[in-house]
Amino acid sequence: MSEAGARPTLEAVAARAGVSRATVSRVVNGEAGVREVLAVKVRRAVDELGYVPNRAARSLVTRRYDAVAVVIAEPETRVFADPFFALQLRGISKELTAHDVQLVLLLTEGRADHARVGRYLSGGHVDGALVFSLHLDDPLPVIINGAGVPTVFGGRPGWAGGEDSVRYVDCDNRGGARSAVRHLAGLGRTRIAHITGALDQTSAADRLDGFRDVLPGADARLVAEGDFTPAGGERAMRRLLDRCPDVDAVFAANDLSAAGALRVLRASGRRVPDDVAVVGFDDMLPVAEQADPPLTTVRQDIEEMGRLMAAMLLRGQDRSPAPDHAASVVLPTELVRRDSA
Amino acid sequence: MSEAGARPTLEAVAARAGVSRATVSRVVNGEAGVREVLAVKVRRAVDELGYVPNRAARSLVTRRYDAVAVVIAEPETRVFADPFFALQLRGISKELTAHDVQLVLLLTEGRADHARVGRYLSGGHVDGALVFSLHLDDPLPVIINGAGVPTVFGGRPGWAGGEDSVRYVDCDNRGGARSAVRHLAGLGRTRIAHITGALDQTSAADRLDGFRDVLPGADARLVAEGDFTPAGGERAMRRLLDRCPDVDAVFAANDLSAAGALRVLRASGRRVPDDVAVVGFDDMLPVAEQADPPLTTVRQDIEEMGRLMAAMLLRGQDRSPAPDHAASVVLPTELVRRDSA
DNA sequence: TTGAAAGCGCTAACAG
DNA sequence: CTGTTAGCGCTTTCAA
């Protein structure tokens, strides 16, 4: 390990091993074509000195940064109310770590930060970006596209024409919603309501579409707009109860709003699932399992989505000649039955 | 903005502005002592060319990285179950952004990752580290101390002798716990129980100490060990009810476990706060406000703690001669009354 | 298979 | 106040 302070350079290692800097560089970078005797000497010197390559120097010549930016744009609320991003981050982190790539986190709040992010990305400090762009009208995608950095989006981006020119990872929101609603219908429920998510996000819009796929002629009053939060779920449920006291099932756009709905149903004296069956979306364990009653819900593998995003970005960077435009990925969902429906 | 691809260098800007590289450098870095006429020319050239400094080149000579690592070591669970870290991250991010410093996120899972983190930190890629080391026996602090990187811890570190040699930001866990318990006592409750957090974390230990400060002679059966999770809170509450059916108040170590306790109390037919008063800790809004009934709790300003950690680290980096060993900071807490007590 | 030498883009003395 | 000149530590031709 040697003393702190002056960290050893390639030069020092070369001197100690009795070879040239070039040779040390080759060994350190695992290039073939170095006699094993020398390689051994070099590795020993590296260990003895506690040599760690200087990334700045390396980047300067290679123009690679071994770092990717994770951009999370979320005006205030959601990021911190539900563990969604945390899980996604974990998946990303695992994959990046496995490739020895650093994760630079860029949190933005409002437009003011957009310019900063754009500058950072186009400034050439990272090899790519993983972006969570949740709102239909978000200007960030455009800025990022302009930055000329390889990018993978988390969730289908909502901007027009985006889908084919852009790589993203998402779950099958629409199909998942369909399976939830079909499940409720299969239970014999006939007044099935939907609490939407924030409809300026594609995931919410897609889930609503899925609901409509199964129930094309549904009473419009059976759809109440929520915002993915428990409070929003409560409000929506109250509205629903007001308008249609005879609802016998609710498909909520996520577990958090389902939890809110559950509370309102209980307060109204209704029993779940006897009087009203409830299905959520996400299978956010701490929420779904702890709900009262435990929530039947549509599971998506959030951590895996994160891992995939990172893998996709990294793969694209192999400089593989044909970018193999590994199109976007849409993961399947799975209905998890518990007690609420 | 000019075309992507070949990004302009200092040299290009200098040529365009008709000055030397040194002058451009001075203007870009805001150093005084450049005639305004020239400065204007330079700034214009910068804009026209869309020049962004190459960080790698800059770091190579300045030995500063304008980046700090945020290390979150949490075996699996907690990070993702509660918004604690997310809030802290937001505070950190805001402060770093304001100083144009990047946030490199290092998530670790288990011992295997410790070495990696140590290597990264001592590798000289960041100017400092913000570390969340939550467990008493965590080897990470030692590794990090060995890395010779300025560090600020989130939460009082638990290792022996740590307190004076280490900088940290924490809230007044013990005092907050005292105020919670005093509040319950003030309500006339006489059988006050405590659901602890994970006792290998100083925050949990400190809150337990606070409980004992107020109730030194408390029946040992009134203390049940939890783990900061809702499920842990449920288990603890059940144990409590078993052992002492006459409990009339509960101080839970955080809002999440209070929520679990609430559920068990309700299931047991007890009314809150009439039969049993409940106080939490954190004032995690989505949890505390949405609880049924809304939770009386001890608020700590988590985001501010994050901001402070970053500020403290950055300040220490001013190369101020006397490190001003801006000792650690312990933020006050505040009891927030809602309906549960 | 190895070494010598030339930079990558920038800052920081040091002159002028 | 401004320009010239050395490198920072590393990779990468190019010769040997």
Side-chain angles (χ1 to χ4, degrees):
Chain A
M1 284 294 159
S2 98
E3 75 288 25
R7 303 194 317 94
T9 68
L10 240 207
E11 177 103 46
V13 177
R16 177 154 195 136
V19 299
S20 72
R21 275 150 52 206
T23 298
V24 177
S25 174
R26 289 193 261 259
V27 173
V28 168
N29 292 301
E31 279 171 40
V34 175
R35 259 189 311 159
E36 191 54 23
V37 232
L38 286 195
V40 168
K41 273 192 198 166
V42 169
R43 280 192 282 267
R44 184 143 37 85
V46 165
D47 283 351
E48 289 169 353
L49 262 27
Y51 169 73
V52 181
N54 179 319
R55 282 189 181 230
R58 178 181 285 174
S59 293
L60 189 53
V61 29
T62 59
R63 281 135 194 300
R64 300 191 66 257
Y65 295 85
D66 295 320
V68 323
V70 172
V71 183
I72 299 184
E74 194 62 349
E76 297 302 314
T77 50
R78 185 172 163 207
V79 189
F80 304 105
D82 83 35
F84 191 91
F85 289 102
L87 278 169
Q88 199 113 254
L89 265 183
R90 169 148 77 173
I92 291 171
S93 166
K94 279 185 180 164
E95 184 72 18
L96 293 184
T97 294
H99 291 262
D100 200 29
V101 170
Q102 297 312 317
L103 191 172
V104 177
L105 186 65
L106 265 36
L107 261 28
T108 75
E109 322 214 15
R111 314 263 149 151
D113 283 351
H114 289 343
R116 171 177 63 87
V117 171
R119 219 179 314 127
Y120 184 74
L121 293 184
S122 59
H125 309 307
V126 291
D127 304 313
L130 298 174
V131 180
F132 296 90
S133 167
L134 293 156
H135 301 279
L136 287 179
D137 62 342
D138 201 322
L140 208 53
V142 180
I143 292 178
I144 286 168
N145 250 26
V149 177
T151 301
V152 174
F153 286 83
R156 183 170 68 81
W159 45 323
E163 308 197 28
D164 19 76
S165 66
V166 140
R167 290 185 298 168
Y168 67 85
V169 174
D170 205 345
C171 80
D172 182 9
N173 288 300
R174 190 161 182 166
R178 277 196 297 258
S179 73
V181 179
R182 280 206 202 97
H183 173 69
L184 291 169
L187 257 26
R189 309 293 167 141
T190 56
R191 294 289 284 167
I192 303 178
H194 177 41
I195 295 177
T196 74
L199 288 173
D200 64 338
Q201 300 177 22
T202 56
S203 58
D206 291 353
R207 290 171 200 180
L208 172 56
D209 285 344
F211 172 83
R212 290 197 170 128
D213 286 346
V214 181
L215 264 22
D219 186 339
R221 293 169 310 167
L222 283 171
V223 174
E225 190 167 343
D227 58 5
F228 285 132
T229 70
E234 288 188 351
R235 280 191 299 273
M237 193 66 238
R238 258 185 239 113
R239 235 173 303 137
L240 248 19
L241 252 22
D242 247 31
R243 303 196 290 220
C244 315
D246 60 337
V247 274
D248 58 8
V250 178
F251 163 50
N254 71 341
D255 292 346
L256 248 20
S257 48
L262 245 29
R263 271 196 300 272
V264 170
L265 287 170
R266 190 190 313 126
S268 80
R270 285 165 172 86
R271 302 186 349 171
V272 175
D274 313 79
D275 302 322
V276 181
V278 175
V279 176
F281 202 113
D282 280 353
D283 196 29
M284 201 70 76
L285 252 29
V287 179
E289 270 183 348
Q290 299 298 322
D292 180 17
L295 220 46
T296 290
T297 189
V298 179
R299 168 181 301 160
Q300 56 171 326
D301 191 339
I302 300 172
E303 184 173 335
E304 177 63 15
M305 286 169 58
R307 193 201 313 269
L308 234 55
M309 286 175 68
M312 197 179 279
L313 186 64
L314 259 23
R315 179 152 23 99
Q317 256 145 224
D318 282 350
R319 307 149 164 182
S320 29
D324 177 19
H325 231 17
S328 299
V329 172
V330 175
L331 294 181
T333 60
E334 176 197 2
L335 188 76
V336 179
R337 287 212 56 179
R338 295 206 181 83
D339 303 333
S340 69
Chain B
M1 280 295 161
S2 98
E3 74 289 25
R7 302 196 316 95
T9 70
L10 241 207
E11 178 102 43
V13 177
R16 179 155 194 131
V19 300
S20 72
R21 273 152 51 208
T23 298
V24 177
S25 175
R26 289 192 263 259
V27 173
V28 167
N29 292 300
E31 278 171 40
V34 175
R35 257 189 311 160
E36 192 53 22
V37 233
L38 287 193
V40 167
K41 274 191 197 166
V42 169
R43 280 191 282 267
R44 184 145 37 86
V46 165
D47 283 352
E48 290 169 354
L49 262 27
Y51 169 73
V52 180
N54 180 320
R55 281 191 182 230
R58 178 183 285 172
S59 293
L60 189 53
V61 30
T62 60
R63 280 135 194 300
R64 301 191 66 256
Y65 295 86
D66 295 319
V68 324
V70 171
V71 183
I72 300 184
E74 193 62 348
E76 298 301 315
T77 50
R78 186 172 161 208
V79 190
F80 304 105
D82 83 35
F84 191 90
F85 289 102
L87 278 169
Q88 200 112 252
L89 265 183
R90 169 148 77 172
I92 291 172
S93 167
K94 279 185 180 165
E95 184 71 19
L96 294 183
T97 294
H99 292 261
D100 200 29
V101 169
Q102 297 312 316
L103 191 171
V104 177
L105 187 64
L106 266 35
L107 261 27
T108 75
E109 321 214 17
R111 314 264 149 153
D113 282 352
H114 289 343
R116 172 177 63 90
V117 171
R119 218 177 317 126
Y120 183 74
L121 293 184
S122 60
H125 308 307
V126 291
D127 303 312
L130 298 174
V131 180
F132 297 89
S133 168
L134 292 155
H135 300 277
L136 287 179
D137 61 341
D138 201 321
L140 208 52
V142 180
I143 292 178
I144 286 169
N145 252 25
V149 177
T151 300
V152 174
F153 286 84
R156 182 170 68 80
W159 44 324
E163 308 198 29
D164 19 78
S165 65
V166 141
R167 290 186 298 167
Y168 66 87
V169 174
D170 206 345
C171 80
D172 182 10
N173 289 301
R174 190 161 181 167
R178 279 196 296 259
S179 72
V181 179
R182 281 206 201 96
H183 173 70
L184 291 169
L187 257 26
R189 310 293 168 142
T190 56
R191 295 289 284 167
I192 303 178
H194 178 41
I195 295 176
T196 73
L199 287 173
D200 64 337
Q201 300 177 24
T202 55
S203 58
D206 291 354
R207 291 171 199 180
L208 173 55
D209 285 345
F211 173 83
R212 290 197 171 128
D213 287 345
V214 181
L215 265 21
D219 186 338
R221 292 169 312 166
L222 283 171
V223 174
E225 189 165 344
D227 58 5
F228 284 131
T229 70
E234 287 189 352
R235 281 191 298 271
M237 193 66 237
R238 258 184 238 112
R239 235 173 303 135
L240 247 19
L241 252 20
D242 247 31
R243 303 195 291 221
C244 314
D246 61 337
V247 275
D248 58 7
V250 178
F251 164 50
N254 71 343
D255 291 346
L256 249 20
S257 47
L262 244 30
R263 270 196 300 273
V264 170
L265 287 169
R266 189 189 313 127
S268 80
R270 284 165 173 86
R271 298 179 1 162
V272 177
D274 313 79
D275 302 322
V276 181
V278 175
V279 176
F281 203 113
D282 281 352
D283 195 28
M284 201 70 76
L285 250 30
V287 180
E289 270 184 346
Q290 299 299 323
D292 181 17
L295 221 44
T296 290
T297 188
V298 179
R299 168 181 303 161
Q300 57 171 325
D301 191 340
I302 300 172
E303 185 173 333
E304 177 62 17
M305 287 170 58
R307 193 201 311 271
L308 235 54
M309 287 177 68
M312 196 178 279
L313 186 63
L314 259 22
R315 178 152 23 101
Q317 256 147 220
D318 283 349
R319 308 147 163 181
S320 30
D324 175 19
H325 231 16
S328 299
V329 172
V330 175
L331 293 181
T333 59
E334 176 197 1
L335 188 76
V336 178
R337 287 211 55 180
R338 294 205 182 84
D339 302 334
S340 70

